[in-house]
Amino acid sequence: MKKNNSSALKPTTTSLQVRRFRLSFLYAVPIGVLGGLIGLGGAEFRLPVLAGTLNYSVRQAVPLNLAISLITIAASLIIRGSTLSLSQVIPLLPVVFSLITGAVITAFFGAAIAGRLSNEQLERIILMLLVVIGIALIVEGFLPQQIPALLPPALSWRIPAGILFGLAIGLVSSLLGVAGGEVIIPTLVFAFGADIKTAGTASLIVSLPTVLVGVIKYASRGAFADRTLLGNTIAPMGVGSVIGAIIGGMLVGIIPPRILKVILGIILNISAFRVFHKVKSSNGK
């Protein structure tokens, strides 16, 4: 009887892995396209897919999202570095390094903080952060593209402020598994007066070490011990995200980014409530 039961489980496990592989790629491409259209990686939209459609627990979904974000950031930096001059980022380097300093600190401790939270607490925090990001996208759609910097140009103001902003960015990154561009870009534009293109490039530079530290920390806690995760989710979703981002970058201008941000902000709020309210309800049964 035991042999029959074990053999019956194998097709189920295999079919689940195949299903995850296919859906990971199929969902990643359009999410990557939308992210490319608005200049973000789309990680905030991947998280509800990982926790909902692909049926991962929240504790699995966050490190998976972080690993996929690392792939998309590396690819985006390579693509952007070959098409844009990085010289525009040089005046922002003191701010960039201060953001990295703060972000790396909380990215390192974020995984440990997430490990101490109960499932219900983690789900509630994730839902709250996704709603805040969704609202931020909607608000950004109505704001002017360039406004005067809110902070004075003196480094005595900018470096401490950058570290403080970085602490918040690293915590959001490690708790959601995102690159943080949806937080970093508005911070650079509105707080430090960077133009949107420079902010996009600087955001990738800040995100790379932040996400890398988060991935290493989650890996040390055994988040990637199951090697099948690489083949059936991380690789296909990473490749799909990169392909989608390239297509999205080529389609920039077809849909006004302002309108798209408002629409995506609404979609993010709806999907976050549907997925994480559903997760919470199922856990409560």
Side-chain angles (χ1 to χ4, degrees), residues 2 97 104 115 126 140 154 229 236 270 280:
K2 287 183 180 179
F97 287 129
V104 164
I126 287 173
E140 280 181 54
L229 297 175
I270 293 172
K280 183 178 177 182

Side-chain angles (χ1 to χ4, degrees), residues 170-195:
L171 188 60
V172 171
S173 174
S174 59
L175 288 177
L176 291 182
V178 300
E182 57 284 318
V183 180
I184 301 170
I185 292 175
T187 299
L188 289 168
V189 171
F190 299 120
F192 300 102
D195 67 86

Side-chain angles (χ1 to χ4, degrees), residues 141-184:
F142 293 98
L143 290 175
Q145 288 291 318
Q146 182 107 25
I147 64 171
L150 298 177
L151 293 173
L155 291 181
S156 58
W157 278 91
R158 294 195 161 204
I159 290 177
I163 293 173
L164 289 175
F165 281 124
L167 291 170
I169 289 163
L171 188 60
V172 171
S173 174
S174 59
L175 288 177
L176 291 182
V178 300
E182 57 284 318
V183 180
I184 301 170

Side-chain angles (χ1 to χ4, degrees), residues 4-284:
N4 291 337
N5 289 339
S6 61
S7 62
L9 287 173
K10 286 182 181 178
T12 303
T13 303
T14 303
S15 63
L16 176 61
Q17 292 175 356
V18 171
R19 178 177 176 272
R20 281 177 169 168
F21 179 89
R22 290 174 179 171
L23 290 177
S24 293
F25 183 80
L26 289 175
Y27 273 90
V29 173
I31 289 173
V33 171
L34 293 173
L37 283 169
I38 62 174
L40 297 174
E44 62 278 3
F45 297 98
R46 284 198 305 268
L47 188 56
V49 172
L50 288 164
T53 307
L54 299 183
N55 202 31
Y56 284 108
S57 69
V58 175
R59 292 194 184 279
Q60 288 177 303
V62 170
L64 285 174
N65 202 23
L66 206 60
I68 297 160
S69 294
L70 184 61
I71 296 172
T72 59
I73 293 166
S76 296
L77 268 174
I78 293 170
I79 295 166
R80 194 172 276 250
S82 63
T83 58
L84 294 175
S85 172
L86 298 179
S87 60
Q88 294 176 326
V89 181
I90 293 176
L92 270 179
L93 284 181
V95 171
V96 168
F97 287 129
S98 63
L99 286 169
I100 290 173
T101 300
V104 164
I105 291 171
T106 44
F108 182 82
F109 292 107
I113 293 171
R116 294 192 185 99
L117 296 171
S118 68
N119 285 331
E120 187 175 327
Q121 288 173 325
L122 185 59
E123 289 156 13
R124 192 180 299 124
I125 290 172
I126 287 173
L127 175 59
M128 180 187 70
L129 290 175
L130 287 176
V131 169
V132 169
I133 290 172
I135 293 172
L137 283 171
I138 295 170
V139 171
E140 280 181 54
F142 293 98
L143 290 175
Q145 288 291 318
Q146 182 107 25
I147 64 171
L150 298 177
L151 293 173
L155 291 181
S156 58
W157 278 91
R158 294 195 161 204
I159 290 177
I163 293 173
L164 289 175
F165 281 124
L167 291 170
I169 289 163
L171 188 60
V172 171
S173 174
S174 59
L175 288 177
L176 291 182
V178 300
E182 57 284 318
V183 180
I184 301 170
I185 292 175
T187 299
L188 289 168
V189 171
F190 299 120
F192 300 102
D195 67 86
I196 194 71
K197 285 187 178 180
T198 303
T201 303
S203 170
L204 293 172
I205 297 172
V206 173
S207 295
L208 185 61
T210 305
V211 171
L212 180 60
V213 168
V215 168
I216 292 171
K217 187 62 179 177
Y218 272 109
S220 70
R221 297 177 66 87
F224 307 109
D226 183 358
R227 299 301 179 189
T228 61
L229 297 175
L230 176 62
N232 64 31
T233 302
I234 295 175
M237 195 163 262
V239 172
S241 297
V242 172
I243 292 172
I246 294 171
I247 295 171
M250 294 169 63
L251 297 177
V252 168
I254 291 179
I255 303 175
R258 290 172 177 272
I259 296 175
L260 198 57
K261 283 185 178 182
V262 173
I263 294 172
L264 292 180
I266 295 170
I267 292 173
L268 180 59
N269 280 324
I270 293 172
S271 62
F273 270 108
R274 284 185 63 187
V275 170
F276 292 100
H277 176 71
K278 180 181 176 182
V279 170
K280 183 178 177 182
S281 300
S282 63
N283 286 344

